[in-house]
Amino acid sequence: MELKVCKFGGTSMADGNVILNAAKIVSADVSRRYVVVSAPGKRFGGDVKVTDLLIALYDAYERADRATFEKVFEKIEGRFLGIEKELGSDLKMRKTLDTVKNEVLSGAGRDYCVSRGEFLAAQIMSEILHVPFVDATEFVRFDERGILKEETYSLAARVLANYPRAVIPGFYGLGADGKVKTFSRGGGDISGAVVARGVNADLYENWTDVSGFYACDPRIVDAPKCIEELSYRELRELSYMGANVLHSDCIFPVKSAGIPIRICNTFRPEDKGTYIVPAIKRRVGDTVVTGIAGKTGFTTIGIEKSMMNAEIGFARKVLSVIEKHGVSLEHLPSGIDSMSIVIDNTFLQEKEIERIVEEIEAAVSLDRIYVHENVALIATVGHGMAKSIGTSARLFKALSEAGINVNMIDQGSSELNIIVGVDAKDCNACIRAIYHEFFN
Ligand code: ADP
Ligand code: ASP
Ligand code: MG
């Protein structure tokens, strides 16, 4: 019999009614045997996700700000007691919430606190489905650097073999120190993929609030085209570059087993959604571009030097400065006489870029060095681009017609993507211009 793992995101767990909806989806198909859930998300615009409340709770605990701690805890309590009331059954929420509070106050740690949204959500889903709760700490393992350990998959297989059906909290596991450890934000998608790999599922269904993976962020372009099929590689490129409907790392657990992912809408379960598959043989309609995604928060250092290519060791000397600062490179496009170094701002401390520039100037002789701060990177992705001539020409013409200045270009050697760097303020306009060029 077919075996499916379903992961319900925060919007699908936001309140009692929505949770009932999710439970109905699970019950509608006997092959949906393993369910992974996120913490309750936003119920309406302006609402706060439970995970964000838990982060605020821990911050207040760390500052020893007891008044704020109590205020935030009340809000968290309100969310879970509200769900219990809406569902009309005794889910022992108050008792569990009290335990969580005591544990946090006795030093259980940040990740323990932040992960409790998923812990409680999974208890609720387990109760209403009458399916056993299995804690993620039983099989999700991280190493000292916080990286998911390979043994997670065999452990998941072993633990879950004892349960024909189970509800599992997403987003966390056990760290090398034996304490609860979370993935990065949005990591419930990775947990779902881990479970899918552990039980060797035929399909990993990711239930969210949109009817699939769109060609670009629906908050930037109104009703963009829904992609029917996406390859693992396209997904990785798009989600890494900001299409956060799926976490960019959720591809790794399912990749070697070739398990397809389906993105489905909890509020429109009849919609087909998007299938993410190992490789695309032939795409219906054979579009040139599959999707566009972008994100802000980068800095570019541009270096110009005549005959740079002839100077042995030039790149090494420049890059060793970056390495010495412990900063990782995002992109490194280069030409005969120039190179650009693209850095994610989260790696940079205050004024560090000035020190890096000074040290590069001391390490090599160059004609010009300049810095663009507040850069957005926009990736245009698709297997179809390698086959069609003139894609970059169309893209740059569209950007020039929209009056957008491009300050960095990186055309990946795989011809799967073209990445442009633009001023952060032009990020959305750039995505819109590329979308309209290739999809309208
Ligand atoms: P969940 O709570 O289910 O984990 P997320 O908020 O993490 O949901 O992801 C779904 C959201 O991702 C959508 O509501 C949408 O606004 C956003 N999104 C960004 N880029 C895309 C895209 N290319 N396709 C679909 N949704 C996207
Ligand atoms: N609840 C976590 C977050 O808000 C994880 C997730 O939703 O996947 O980031
Ligand atoms: Mg998500």
Side-chain angles (χ1 to χ4, degrees):
M1 203 229 313
E2 219 193 357
L3 171 54
K4 292 177 188 160
V5 169
C6 315
K7 180 257 168 180
F8 290 93
T11 37
S12 309
M13 295 296 295
D15 65 28
N17 282 332
V18 179
I19 294 175
L20 277 183
N21 216 11
K24 222 191 299 165
I25 288 169
V26 176
S27 308
D29 182 345
V30 286
S31 61
R32 293 184 176 133
R33 286 170 34 204
Y34 297 93
V35 179
V36 177
V37 296
S38 282
K42 293 182 183 180
R43 294 159 292 182
F44 44 83
D47 195 15
V48 185
K49 290 178 170 193
V50 163
T51 307
D52 289 310
L53 289 173
L54 289 161
I55 291 170
L57 184 77
Y58 198 79
D59 287 346
Y61 164 76
E62 262 190 332
R63 291 195 312 270
D65 178 352
R66 194 59 197 249
T68 307
F69 183 93
E70 291 299 338
K71 225 163 68 195
V72 178
F73 190 79
E74 247 174 58
K75 287 191 186 155
I76 297 166
E77 210 172 39
R79 290 293 299 266
F80 287 103
L81 296 181
I83 290 173
E84 187 170 41
K85 200 165 159 209
E86 281 161 353
L87 294 174
S89 45
D90 178 18
L91 303 170
K92 306 190 180 53
M93 280 294 111
R94 181 164 302 282
K95 190 160 168 271
T96 321
L97 282 158
D98 284 345
T99 311
V100 167
K101 187 177 186 180
N102 291 335
E103 293 283 331
V104 173
L105 288 172
S106 26
R110 172 177 285 272
D111 284 14
Y112 169 88
C113 179
V114 174
S115 67
R116 292 307 90 182
E118 310 353 66
F119 178 80
L120 286 150
Q123 308 251 334
I124 295 170
M125 190 58 106
S126 155
E127 285 287 334
I128 58 172
L129 284 175
H130 305 294
V131 166
F133 167 94
V134 177
D135 200 7
T137 51
E138 287 194 39
F139 57 87
V140 177
R141 295 280 183 275
F142 297 95
D143 67 14
E144 312 64 43
R145 295 164 303 158
I147 293 170
L148 186 69
K149 284 172 94 174
E150 195 65 23
E151 70 179 48
T152 293
Y153 307 124
S154 51
L155 211 49
R158 220 175 320 136
V159 170
L160 295 171
N162 299 318
Y163 300 90
R165 303 187 70 196
V167 176
I168 302 135
F171 189 41
Y172 68 90
L174 212 57
D177 57 1
K179 287 175 145 180
V180 168
K181 162 130 200 72
T182 62
F183 287 103
S184 57
R185 293 301 302 270
D189 295 330
I190 312 173
S191 309
V194 162
V195 173
R197 163 86 170 268
V199 300
N200 198 17
D202 297 293
L203 182 65
Y204 167 26
E205 290 182 337
N206 191 289
W207 291 87
T208 182
D209 64 344
V210 280
S211 289
F213 206 111
Y214 298 144
C216 69
D217 190 329
R219 293 164 297 188
I220 298 174
V221 167
D222 201 25
K225 179 180 172 259
C226 183
I227 304 167
E228 266 186 44
E229 247 190 354
L230 200 63
S231 74
Y232 284 171
R233 285 180 62 205
E234 288 171 325
L235 167 72
R236 171 83 179 142
E237 298 281 345
L238 288 167
S239 54
Y240 184 78
M241 290 301 294
N244 49 15
V245 58
L246 272 186
H247 193 294
S248 59
D249 290 351
C250 84
I251 207 66
F252 298 118
V254 291
K255 202 172 168 183
S256 65
I259 300 166
I261 306 172
R262 180 182 164 215
I263 300 185
C264 350
N265 192 341
T266 305
F267 307 94
R268 293 177 59 93
E270 65 287 357
D271 287 356
K272 194 164 168 233
T274 297
Y275 281 86
I276 298 150
V277 295
I280 308 264
K281 284 189 201 82
R282 200 179 157 70
R283 201 167 240 140
V284 190
D286 259 348
T287 46
V288 177
V289 168
T290 306
I292 306 139
K295 60 180 180 183
T296 53
F298 296 95
T299 295
T300 314
I301 304 174
I303 295 171
E304 289 173 5
K305 159 88 174 162
S306 299
M307 305 285 288
M308 182 190 287
N309 61 331
E311 196 170 320
I312 293 168
F314 186 90
R316 180 183 48 76
K317 287 178 203 156
V318 171
L319 295 185
S320 54
V321 172
I322 309 285
E323 188 181 349
K324 200 185 100 207
H325 280 262
V327 168
S328 93
L329 286 181
E330 207 59 36
H331 293 278
L332 188 68
S334 63
I336 318 168
D337 298 326
S338 66
M339 69 195 281
S340 294
I341 301 169
V342 184
I343 299 169
D344 185 333
N345 287 349
T346 48
F347 291 110
L348 292 172
Q349 304 189 348
E350 210 185 322
K351 299 216 186 293
E352 193 168 13
I353 202 76
E354 289 166 29
R355 291 196 297 278
I356 290 176
V357 168
E358 280 165 16
E359 286 171 38
I360 291 175
E361 282 174 320
V364 288
S365 92
L366 34 81
D367 301 338
R368 186 163 101 93
I369 183 162
Y370 54 90
V371 174
H372 284 298
E373 284 173 307
N374 302 323
V375 170
L377 296 183
I378 319 294
T380 303
V381 176
H383 293 293
M385 296 196 314
K387 286 178 255 147
S388 44
I389 299 163
T391 310
S392 358
R394 278 177 71 185
L395 190 149
F396 291 114
K397 187 164 164 274
L399 294 185
S400 132
E401 281 170 5
I404 294 164
N405 187 32
V406 174
N407 54 42
M408 193 276 308
I409 302 165
D410 190 2
Q411 183 151 17
S413 49
S414 61
E415 292 192 64
L416 179 63
N417 63 20
I418 300 174
I419 294 172
V420 294
V422 301
D423 215 86
K425 68 170 177 19
D426 292 332
C427 181
N428 290 356
C430 180
I431 293 174
R432 273 186 221 113
I434 301 172
Y435 180 83
H436 292 307
E437 171 62 33
F438 290 97
F439 291 91
N440 279 355

